[in-house]
């Protein structure tokens, strides 16, 4: 019999394990979630885990900062494998793990207040070009913000120069130099 869990690699409580019990669990900041992670980067209802065919399937629930499996942002449901790294946004990193259990064995669970050292991080398996991954989308790129102030100032200066040039062209074309500029010689 196998039992599944998440081990927090980085986030507010590194080393804490989250046993995954049940057919459907939600991950999020709200305390009503099966996996509750109190961090501003995690949405109230961030992701959903569904137990299907002896495996957990994870999907993002429209979270603000995204759900990633092995560095790839989820665009649909993905089946988790032991050793997969699940990230919620950029700061929260969870290791998905399967534990083979003896049903007759006595279990000892660590207290949540005790600091538990996480096991060494495993490298994610390489993804080869021959293995299609339609459920993944490319990771988000940071949007570069453009400062619009110089553009508005430049546009305003250009408009002012055009207006001045138009005015002087009109004065010259209608012979009104003496009307607008009586101090000129010859007026």
């Amino acid at each position: 019999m196998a039992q599944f869990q998440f081990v927090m690699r980085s986030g507010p409580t590194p080393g804490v394990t989250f046993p995954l019990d049940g057919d459907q669990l939600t991950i999020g900041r709200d305390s009503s979630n099966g996996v509750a992670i109190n961090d501003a980067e995690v949405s109230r209802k961030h992701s959903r885990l569904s137990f299907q065919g002896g495996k957990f399937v994870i999907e993002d629930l429209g979270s603000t900062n995204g759900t990633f499996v092995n560095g790839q942002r989820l665009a649909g449901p993905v089946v988790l494998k032991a050793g997969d790294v699940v990230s919620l946004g950029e700061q929260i990193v969870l290791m998905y793990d399967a534990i083979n259990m003896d049903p007759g064995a006595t279990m000892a669970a660590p207290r949540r207040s005790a600091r538990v050292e996480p096991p060494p991080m495993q490298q994610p398996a390489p993804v080869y070009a021959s293995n299609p991954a339609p459920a993944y989308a490319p990771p988000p790129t940071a949007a570069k913000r453009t400062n619009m102030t110089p553009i508005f100032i430049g546009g305003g200066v250009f408009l002012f120069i055009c207006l001045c040039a138009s005015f002087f062209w009109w004065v010259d074309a209608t012979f009104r130099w003496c009307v607008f500029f009586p101090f000129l010689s010859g007026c």
Side-chain angles (χ1 to χ4, degrees), residues 2-15:
Q3 182 180 351
F4 300 94
Q5 68 180 7
F6 277 134
V7 179
M8 185 173 286
R9 294 286 185 181
S10 68
T13 53

Side-chain angles (χ1 to χ4, degrees), residues 7-92:
V7 179
M8 185 173 286
R9 294 286 185 181
S10 68
T13 53
V16 169
T17 59
F18 298 95
L20 305 178
D21 297 321
D23 291 337
Q24 199 165 52
L25 297 164
T26 53
I27 303 170
R29 188 175 67 231
D30 194 76
S31 60
S32 67
N33 291 296
V35 177
I37 301 172
N38 189 11
D39 190 274
E41 197 161 314
V42 179
S43 297
R44 284 182 188 89
K45 298 281 185 191
H46 199 99
S47 307
R48 178 178 29 239
L49 289 167
S50 304
F51 195 68
Q52 301 172 5
K55 298 179 180 185
F56 272 104
V57 177
I58 189 168
E59 61 184 312
D60 188 76
L61 295 176
S63 65
T64 304
N65 294 318
T67 303
F68 301 81
V69 174
N70 298 327
Q72 299 293 313
R73 188 173 187 143
L74 297 186
V78 172
V79 176
L80 292 176
K81 299 177 296 303
D84 280 349
V85 176
V86 176
S87 303
L88 310 174
E90 295 179 7
Q91 304 298 320
I92 311 300

Side-chain angles (χ1 to χ4, degrees), residues 5 19 26 28 40 46 64 72 86 95 100 102 112-113 127 132 134 142 151 164 169:
Q5 68 180 7
T26 53
H46 199 99
T64 304
Q72 299 293 313
V86 176
M95 176 69 111
N100 291 324
D102 177 4
R112 290 205 184 258
S113 61
V127 177
I151 294 171
C164 289
W169 176 81

Side-chain angles (χ1 to χ4, degrees), residues 167 170-171 174 176-183:
F167 172 76
W170 176 75
V171 167
T174 57
R176 297 184 188 216
W177 286 103
C178 291
V179 173
F180 290 101
F181 306 101
F183 53 88

Side-chain angles (χ1 to χ4, degrees), residues 19 77 168:
F168 285 116

